[in-house]
Amino acid sequence: MLLTPEYIFKNVEAITPAFLQQLGVTALVLDVDNTLTGDGSQQLDDSVSAWLDTMRASGVSLTIVSNNTDRRVRPFATRIGLAWVPMACKPLPIGLMVARRRLGVTRHQMAMVGDQIFTDRLAAGLFGIRCLYVMPRTPHEKNRGVRLKRKLEPPFIRKYFEKGGKLYE
């Protein structure tokens, strides 16, 4: 089903180069808020910075695809040295199409990393790529729409575990 996660990770740092290699994934499309950093934050945890360095050293291509504005995404992406696609219109796959072209990879070689089922997971499913769903970095959301969607996510997460899925830590 398009909304049930394929994989669930405790956080982005739990995704390893070895795991990606098993999937044949060489490029990651990354969400920002509550995936790489806290909601609305411009700060990057040291552990995420080290994870980005590990991914780069392993030859994994990285780019940001966010529904946020250029004003929100540009300073963050520039500071951590990543290309970005703002106003991505997720769950529509428009931003993922742009990212795939820029990365120069096939759909099979890329995966979406994000914390929302109704944007990140659905966009990946509609585009035909894997989604590496991560648990939100912070428990709070500034956006009312996101708070509402969070209340609708538990049945899909529960279904993942009922089907034998595990939490990657």
Side-chain angles (χ1 to χ4, degrees), residues 59-90:
V60 177
S61 300
L62 306 166
T63 194
I64 290 174
V65 173
S66 174
N67 281 351
N68 270 301
T69 64
D70 188 66
R71 183 177 176 183
R72 159 71 177 113
V73 178
R74 178 190 302 258
F76 182 80
T78 300
R79 197 171 67 258
I80 64 174
L82 293 180
W84 69 96
V85 177
M87 303 296 289
C89 301
K90 296 179 289 184

Side-chain angles (χ1 to χ4, degrees), residues 87-132:
M87 303 296 289
C89 301
K90 296 179 289 184
L92 298 176
I94 297 165
L96 297 178
M97 289 178 202
V98 172
R100 190 195 67 75
R101 249 189 333 272
R102 287 183 185 173
L103 292 165
V105 295
T106 65
R107 291 178 196 206
H108 180 76
Q109 294 173 302
M110 70 185 280
M112 173 79 216
V113 179
D115 68 297
Q116 289 187 51
I117 287 176
F118 293 100
T119 54
D120 305 312
R121 170 64 187 116
L122 186 53
L126 291 172
F127 192 54
I129 64 172
R130 291 180 179 89
C131 180
L132 309 181

Side-chain angles (χ1 to χ4, degrees), residues 7-23 28 30 35-36 46-52 54-55 113 132-135 137 160 166-169:
Y7 307 96
I8 297 181
F9 294 84
K10 181 178 179 182
N11 52 40
V12 74
E13 298 97 306
I15 300 169
T16 65
F19 182 85
L20 297 177
Q21 187 175 29
Q22 287 176 340
L23 298 178
L28 293 178
L30 307 166
T35 298
L36 293 178
D46 290 341
S47 60
V48 177
S49 182
W51 178 82
L52 290 169
T54 298
M55 288 295 141
V113 179
L132 309 181
Y133 176 83
V134 295
M135 302 303 290
R137 292 192 83 76
Y160 167 81
K166 70 174 197 169
L167 177 66
Y168 293 85
E169 297 186 66

